[in-house]
Amino acid sequence: AASNVIGAVLTGGASRRMGSNKALVEVDGVAMGSRVARALRDAGCSPVLAYGGDPDVLAPLGLDVRPDRYPATGPLGGVLGLLESLAGEGPDAVVVVAACDLPSLRGDVLHALIDALRADPAVEVAVARTSQIEPACATWRVSAARRLHQLYASGERALHAAIGQLRSVEIQVDPAALRNINTPEELGRYP
């Protein structure tokens, strides 16, 4: 049977540089979080949810918002908390995680990551790569939560370093699809 494929937009909280939650910042009239959610749906993810941030603030996205289990610990805490929160989905569940600030992300990019994870049952994470790995765009097996928790408990906080200690595969991705927006200046230069 095919694995469950769950999509998750990592929303985090307010961005000091952007002045608000980046998930709600509009690009061409559409909130970045909504653009990423659409890419997740286009890749076949169901359900698509938001992880982290204030549910009331993120209500305009129309997504189920899961509370952050490890607030203020960056993307590693976000991915760990997300995977732990989905443990009941079954050991074969696949979680597609994408940061909210990737407005050019496309479903075909995410689908390639899903296919790579499904191709090898030993792989715990398939991660996008441009000139370097892009840890905030990856597919994860829910079962990787146990190993991630061990790394987190040992003091690791860097998601890319944790991925380096897991059974992973890297998928080359068009850098334009993973262009992120972190500042008002970057927003002004988009696309």
Side-chain angles (χ1 to χ4, degrees):
S3 300
N4 299 333
V5 181
I6 301 154
V9 180
L10 290 181
T11 57
S15 166
R16 276 176 277 151
R17 289 188 282 181
M18 293 299 281
S20 65
N21 190 302
K22 286 196 289 186
L24 300 176
V25 172
E26 291 187 0
V27 172
D28 294 333
V30 179
M32 286 198 289
S34 294
R35 293 172 70 98
V36 172
R38 182 175 53 220
L40 290 161
R41 285 188 196 97
D42 288 350
C45 299
S46 181
V48 173
L49 55 95
Y51 186 82
D54 182 327
D56 293 331
V57 170
L58 295 171
L61 296 178
L63 300 173
D64 174 28
V65 180
R66 302 277 174 104
D68 194 341
R69 290 180 174 211
Y70 302 97
T73 58
L76 176 58
V79 171
L80 172 59
L82 174 64
L83 295 179
E84 289 177 346
S85 78
L86 296 170
E89 297 295 323
D92 294 331
V94 172
V95 183
V96 184
V97 176
C100 69
D101 60 359
L102 302 173
S104 298
L105 189 60
R106 301 182 319 265
D108 63 316
V109 169
L110 298 173
H111 206 279
L113 292 169
I114 294 166
D115 288 347
L117 191 68
R118 286 183 164 165
D120 185 347
V123 171
E124 295 170 292
V125 58
V127 61
R129 169 177 267 291
T130 56
S131 60
Q132 60 190 19
I133 69 166
E134 302 292 344
C137 184
T139 54
W140 295 83
R141 291 193 195 282
V142 170
S143 57
R146 183 179 96 7
R147 182 78 180 106
L148 270 184
H149 188 82
Q150 291 171 344
L151 294 167
Y152 184 88
S154 74
E156 185 60 68
R157 292 298 179 269
L159 186 55
H160 71 277
I163 289 171
Q165 297 181 59
L166 299 173
R167 290 182 301 274
S168 65
V169 62
E170 298 173 5
I171 302 302
Q172 193 66 40
V173 172
D174 175 6
L178 295 183
R179 185 171 160 207
N180 68 344
I181 294 178
N182 290 310
T183 67
E185 294 76 28
E186 289 172 351
L187 180 62
R189 291 192 304 264
Y190 185 87

